[in-house]
Amino acid sequence: MRCTFIIHRYDPAADTEPRYQEYSVDAEPTDKILDCLNKIRWEQDPTLTYRYSCAHGICGSDALMINGRIELACQKLVRDFKTGYNFVIEPLPLFNVIKDLIVDLNPFFNKHRYVRPYLITDEDMPTTEWLQTRENQEFVEPALRCILCASCTSACPINRANGNYLGPAALLRSFRYIFDSRDTATGSRLAQMDSEDGVWGCRSMWWCTDVCPKEIPVTKCLAQIKRLIKQEAKK
Amino acid sequence: MNHQHDIVIVGSGLAGLRAAIELGVDTKTAVLSKVFATRSHSGAAQGGIGAALGNEEEDKWEWHMFDTIKGSDYLGDQDAIEILARDAPRAIYELEHMGVPFNRTKEGKIAQRAFGGHTREFGQAPVKRACYAATRTGRVILDTLWEKCLQRGIEFYDEFQMLSLIIEKGHCCGVVAYELATGELHVFHSKAVLVATGGAGKIFKTTSNAFASTGDGMAIAYRAGAPLEDMEFVQFHPTGIYKLGILISEAARGEGGILRNAQGDRFMERYAPVIKDLAPRDMISRCILQEIRAGQGIDGKDYVHLDLTHLGKEVIESKLAEITSFARTYAGVDPIKEPIPVQPTCHYMMGGIATDNEGRVIADEQRTPFPGLYAAGECACVSVHGANRLGCNALLDLLVFGRRAGREMRKYSHSIGFQSLPPNPAKADQDRIDALMQNHSGVSIPEIRSQMQEVMMDNVSVFREANGLEAALKEVMQLKQRYQQIGITDKGRCFNRDLLDAIELGHLLDLAEVITRGALLRQESRGAHTREDYPERDDERWLSHTMCRFTGDKEPDIFYKPVVITEHQPQERKY
């Protein structure tokens, strides 16, 4: 199958503006979009640059805009698109482009750090495991699927209007620790979330949930944080 | 740019991060990684991590130790395996205390499930020993350790490619690294270096490994004079998705999945009557290929079926979630309704940089330490996996020996000062990069790489024999010659993937040579190394570790190191 790929190119050393370059490549319907990019790079243009590693949707390196929608290039196959074998490949929106399809994710990870993404406890450690109910583990389970690919945050319209908004990925990480029964910093975590740059920035537009390649109900998880803040305020 | 840290860790998978946590508070530590830390391939580990917690049924570390020794086909060092099995429960509780969200039993304890080769009472029946978080066990541990490192203020240099180890007067005192974003060379001066760069599955055409698994640390340490141990033992995981190699976790069989041939027969009943589909990986991979050779592949093709349909929707979607999505996305198969097409896929290197039980790289068969150089994880060979690793022992190895390496390096770095660097330590690497960038020849990197992957897959994978190995060695040596002429098309300094491909290919070729030489010399069949011309295990001649040392332009120096046997004398390996 002959496919056409129109790919966003930008070389900071040579280009003043981003440009688009067209490539023609033979692909099978079952090829991943990442396979096609690799084929272009290996057979036609070794200067084409993008991030990738595991190639099966677990490392979170290759979130891109494919035909205007945010997807993992290794998790979408040629046959998944009804666009007549034409593909437009662009970097994730929201972030600054460094080169071609590579964006600067430092702002994304800085927000991740800000939510204190680790277990905080003032309890004494038992000698074996802390007991945790199955229900509690299952409650936070959706958030454990997150691979930090930045798709949700990149898609979120609120993030574009308010650069200080923590964004769905960092808030989801916060959800994971707020609701983990082993964490005892719930109060200070909720206080940190209780602002327009925190969870109230979320207007439940569902774009994050819609693009998540791991099918995490991000918006619903964020709503749980909102509910808990309200509940605690009533006490 | 120059940097100074007490310790430099190269690689941000579980071994590197666990070591970093051990060093963190009072030892200035830097972690370098060629991918962003959470992209490390430890994250792809699915099914579980082994420890005799006994949360689901009776279990003992002594049984775990025995299973690991037997699984290793008696090539694993028993003192190291004892450490692994005894320390496992502590390592799991420690992870749990750091916040790893394991699945739970009804009582709220860590849930456990069965895994290949793990048994009760020295082989009587399968035992539930693998602790897990759905089929994302590696990923959640990776995230937790990384976040713990953030809490501890460990410095990360993400997207830095190690180019060489700095060795001065026989002492490792730093790393030269290439910053992907700028093309700049950095010199990291340290008291000691931990190599924790993972595996090298990209040597083979079909692999479950990430593109980043190119054996950089093994090849760089080898070139720096550290011997590689047991490299001919390469694990082919029995259940990679047909044609793609993407892993379907052993947890699928741990939860009750069954392998079937063209007739629908559960063929593992014939090969391993006691534990059947939970036999170790080397054995199942061989059995699958034997079935295919006997014309029992599905539709006459080179794959068999992994049948989960009898497990029911709930088990499949809750306990095997990730692999269900892999099967749907990549094979177009819904495992609730249809079997998954599978074939063996290159998964794990049992061999690696030879170390002792404290992560110190050893320079010879007397176990003399290589000062300042440490290794842990898949790139290292302790050896706890011997000739064949059991499922869910890899993550355990990373954590147990990553911690020990960290502990030892901390002690070491507090006892000595900085060794002075040689003059201009980055010069050789700069010259090499300049030469590559200036070369315009037409020798293509992808072409050499795919030829290597094909010949290694055809001749050096599950079944091997002398003629095929000799042909493979000849071709690899020719490819190494041609590699000298490669050039780089991308002349830029920012994210020059073309240059990285060239560097990685050099590492893969070095390791392909070492694997093939070891396989050719070892005239026996043991664990994952199956010689069709020498089908029996030969303890008299070959109960020893292969050691391979780089010697410049000459043939590598191959010598042997005795296996440490404490409690369990070699026996016939039947399941």
Side-chain angles (χ1 to χ4, degrees):
Chain A
M1 208 72 69
R2 206 71 192 158
C3 296
T4 304
F5 278 76
I6 297 169
I7 302 181
H8 178 279
R9 302 296 313 266
Y10 172 68
D11 176 358
D15 300 321
T16 50
E17 291 279 305
R19 58 196 170 84
Y20 286 82
Q21 192 167 347
E22 190 174 318
Y23 299 92
S24 177
V25 64
D26 269 325
E28 298 292 324
T30 52
D31 280 347
K32 304 169 208 163
I33 299 304
L34 178 63
D35 296 332
C36 300
L37 294 177
N38 285 338
K39 232 180 235 187
I40 291 168
R41 196 162 68 78
W42 294 340
E43 294 168 9
Q44 300 177 41
D45 188 352
T47 69
L48 179 64
T49 309
Y50 42 92
R51 290 191 178 104
Y52 61 101
S53 190
C54 78
H56 63 280
I58 195 69
C59 76
S61 300
D62 66 350
L64 295 170
M65 283 270 268
I66 303 172
N67 291 349
R69 208 189 127 82
I70 295 170
E71 309 275 9
L72 296 183
C74 63
Q75 204 173 275
K76 282 287 155 184
L77 313 184
V78 166
R79 67 172 177 215
D80 296 336
F81 296 88
K82 310 277 175 267
T83 48
Y85 303 105
N86 295 302
F87 298 90
V88 180
I89 312 290
E90 296 166 294
L92 281 182
L94 188 74
F95 303 107
N96 291 329
V97 175
I98 300 174
K99 185 186 174 191
D100 292 349
L101 299 170
I102 293 184
V103 295
D104 178 9
L105 285 176
N106 279 323
F108 174 78
F109 288 114
N110 287 340
K111 286 176 178 171
H112 185 92
R113 285 187 179 91
Y114 177 76
V115 303
R116 296 180 293 164
Y118 33 79
L119 206 63
I120 300 173
T121 178
D122 49 21
E123 285 171 24
D124 290 334
M125 297 284 176
T127 50
T128 62
E129 69 262 66
W130 266 321
L131 298 184
Q132 180 184 28
T133 64
R134 209 178 243 185
E135 292 69 31
N136 183 251
Q137 196 271 350
E138 284 167 6
F139 189 78
V140 298
E141 190 277 337
L144 307 177
R145 284 183 244 154
C146 177
I147 55 171
L148 301 173
C149 66
S151 293
C152 56
T153 296
S154 176
C156 175
I158 309 295
N159 265 316
R160 294 179 208 177
N162 175 11
N164 293 324
Y165 175 46
L166 282 172
L171 291 169
L172 182 71
R173 205 53 145 219
S174 179
F175 162 88
R176 179 248 176 279
Y177 287 104
I178 286 170
F179 288 96
D180 191 315
S181 59
R182 299 170 296 172
D183 191 280
T184 57
T186 316
S188 69
R189 289 187 192 277
L190 287 178
Q192 197 186 24
M193 292 301 112
D194 189 9
S195 77
E196 278 298 308
D197 294 339
V199 76
W200 300 112
C202 169
R203 303 280 195 278
S204 302
M205 293 170 78
W206 298 89
W207 290 30
C208 50
T209 305
D210 188 45
V211 299
C212 177
K214 306 309 279 186
E215 297 175 355
I216 302 170
V218 186
T219 316
K220 282 187 181 165
C221 294
L222 270 47
Q224 296 290 348
I225 305 179
K226 294 177 186 171
R227 185 178 302 168
L228 190 61
I229 291 176
K230 282 186 189 160
Q231 225 172 326
E232 293 294 307
K234 276 188 204 149
K235 277 185 189 166
Chain B
M1 196 187 281
N2 295 321
H3 312 260
Q4 196 180 59
H5 297 267
D6 293 323
I7 302 292
V8 168
I9 294 172
V10 188
S12 55
L14 298 194
L17 296 183
R18 183 62 193 83
I21 289 168
E22 202 64 19
L23 289 157
V25 183
D26 59 0
T27 313
K28 195 169 179 266
T29 303
V31 179
L32 274 58
S33 172
K34 70 174 175 180
V35 293
F36 185 84
T38 62
R39 316 301 188 210
S40 303
H41 197 55
S42 298
Q46 298 172 4
I49 172 164
L53 302 183
N55 282 357
E56 306 263 1
E57 54 191 340
E58 190 190 5
D59 198 5
K60 294 182 172 160
W61 70 261
E62 291 90 344
W63 300 346
H64 187 183
M65 174 179 167
F66 171 76
D67 291 337
T68 304
I69 293 167
K70 183 176 172 188
S72 82
D73 217 347
Y74 295 90
L75 190 69
D77 288 323
Q78 297 187 9
D79 57 339
I81 294 173
E82 180 171 340
I83 291 171
L84 183 83
R86 273 185 110 130
D87 197 30
R90 187 207 53 77
I92 299 295
Y93 295 138
E94 174 186 89
L95 286 179
E96 199 275 341
H97 294 167
M98 285 187 210
V100 171
F102 288 111
N103 280 37
R104 299 287 168 159
T105 65
K106 278 201 291 291
E107 303 78 42
K109 293 179 176 177
I110 294 168
Q112 296 187 280
R113 64 179 160 210
F115 240 72
H118 290 278
T119 68
R120 53 177 293 120
E121 292 172 84
F122 309 102
Q124 294 304 309
V127 72
K128 290 181 178 175
R129 187 176 289 150
C131 310
Y132 62 96
T135 30
R136 286 183 285 275
T137 313
R139 179 73 214 207
V140 299
I141 301 175
L142 179 68
D143 286 341
T144 305
L145 293 191
W146 174 65
E147 293 174 341
K148 191 78 188 166
C149 287
L150 297 182
Q151 186 184 17
R152 293 242 165 132
I154 308 281
E155 274 186 76
F156 281 90
Y157 294 84
D158 293 307
E159 298 183 320
F160 276 62
Q161 167 76 45
M162 168 167 64
L163 295 178
S164 64
L165 291 163
I166 305 170
I167 313 291
E168 174 71 350
K169 301 190 182 106
H171 187 118
C172 180
C173 53
V175 164
V176 180
Y178 175 89
E179 183 180 5
L180 272 63
T182 62
E184 195 185 338
L185 291 193
H186 293 252
V187 172
F188 289 87
H189 185 198
S190 64
K191 294 176 182 172
V193 174
L194 176 71
V195 180
T197 52
K202 283 287 162 187
I203 292 170
F204 293 86
K205 186 180 170 191
T206 305
T207 177
S208 63
N209 282 194
F211 279 97
S213 300
T214 54
D216 302 340
M218 294 185 217
I220 289 169
Y222 172 63
R223 291 244 166 188
L228 298 179
E229 178 173 341
D230 290 340
M231 288 298 289
E232 64 270 34
F233 296 98
V234 179
Q235 178 161 85
F236 281 76
H237 192 294
T239 58
I241 295 177
Y242 177 51
K243 281 190 182 168
L244 296 172
I246 296 171
L247 191 68
I248 297 295
S249 167
E250 197 165 303
R253 281 171 287 123
E255 297 290 354
I258 291 171
L259 290 162
R260 297 188 190 280
N261 64 15
Q263 305 290 318
D265 281 347
R266 183 181 192 178
F267 57 87
M268 283 312 298
E269 275 177 338
R270 281 185 270 124
Y271 298 98
V274 179
I275 58 176
K276 305 179 180 102
D277 298 275
L278 286 172
R281 291 172 180 174
D282 57 334
M283 199 170 164
I284 297 192
S285 284
R286 275 193 297 274
C287 297
I288 289 174
L289 294 180
Q290 272 165 20
E291 290 293 307
I292 291 166
R293 283 180 173 185
Q296 289 297 321
I298 309 295
D299 297 334
K301 296 194 182 128
D302 54 344
Y303 68 91
V304 295
H305 274 148
L306 174 60
D307 185 2
L308 310 181
T309 54
H310 54 289
L311 300 181
K313 192 168 185 273
E314 204 201 313
V315 168
I316 293 177
E317 287 190 342
S318 66
K319 293 186 171 169
L320 302 170
E322 206 73 20
I323 63 173
T324 309
S325 114
F326 293 155
R328 285 178 186 153
T329 306
Y330 300 111
V333 159
D334 182 352
I336 295 168
K337 296 182 196 135
E338 321 154 75
I340 308 169
V342 293
Q343 65 183 171
T345 180
C346 175
H347 186 57
Y348 185 87
M349 300 287 152
M350 268 71 75
I353 305 162
T355 72
D356 66 13
N357 296 342
E358 311 308 323
R360 285 181 290 230
V361 171
I362 55 173
D364 53 35
E365 60 273 52
Q366 281 84 42
R367 299 177 167 244
T368 314
F370 190 130
L373 187 57
Y374 295 74
E378 188 175 344
C379 72
C381 182
V382 179
S383 146
V384 285
H385 309 303
N388 172 63
R389 175 174 71 74
L390 291 188
C392 83
N393 269 351
L395 294 184
L396 185 61
D397 169 16
L398 307 178
L399 294 161
V400 167
F401 290 96
R403 169 175 168 270
R404 292 176 84 89
R407 190 174 67 176
E408 186 62 31
M409 290 166 84
R410 183 174 168 277
K411 217 183 332 169
Y412 178 78
S413 76
H414 291 205
S415 72
I416 59 151
F418 283 90
Q419 164 100 26
S420 54
L421 287 173
N424 206 352
K427 186 173 184 306
D429 290 308
Q430 188 65 62
D431 290 349
R432 184 161 65 109
I433 287 174
D434 291 346
L436 274 169
M437 298 286 259
Q438 278 153 22
N439 195 349
H440 290 277
S441 86
V443 179
S444 137
I445 297 167
E447 197 181 297
I448 296 183
R449 188 174 52 216
S450 65
Q451 283 179 21
M452 170 197 66
Q453 289 169 338
E454 297 260 354
V455 73
M456 292 299 286
M457 196 71 201
D458 290 344
N459 296 2
V460 200
S461 56
V462 176
F463 289 113
R464 301 160 170 182
E465 47 81 38
N467 290 336
L469 290 169
E470 273 160 14
L473 182 60
K474 198 170 152 206
E475 181 156 351
V476 168
M477 296 315 286
Q478 281 167 356
L479 292 172
K480 286 186 81 163
Q481 283 297 318
R482 286 179 62 207
Y483 174 76
Q484 300 303 319
Q485 267 89 54
I486 58 163
I488 304 293
T489 309
D490 190 344
K491 306 294 181 192
R493 291 171 61 83
C494 174
F495 280 101
N496 188 333
R497 194 57 247 188
D498 198 17
L499 176 65
L500 280 192
D501 278 2
I503 292 166
E504 291 172 344
L505 177 58
H507 300 153
L508 292 170
L509 285 166
D510 274 352
L511 300 178
E513 180 194 345
V514 176
I515 290 170
T516 311
R517 285 189 188 279
L520 188 57
L521 286 170
R522 185 174 282 273
Q523 295 175 333
E524 66 159 351
S525 291
R526 183 186 298 273
H529 171 69
T530 307
R531 284 286 298 259
E532 297 195 87
D533 42 357
Y534 297 93
E536 301 300 321
R537 192 176 83 194
D538 181 353
D539 289 333
E540 204 131 300
R541 283 183 68 204
W542 293 106
L543 187 59
S544 55
H545 299 290
T546 307
M547 305 283 278
C548 183
R549 189 188 281 124
F550 181 70
T551 54
D553 293 333
K554 293 199 296 286
E555 262 190 29
D557 177 19
I558 292 185
F559 55 101
Y560 293 88
K561 186 181 76 165
V563 175
V564 178
I565 292 171
T566 55
E567 277 183 41
H568 298 282
Q569 287 305 315
Q571 300 165 19
E572 192 190 355
R573 185 165 165 254
K574 277 199 301 210
Y575 286 95

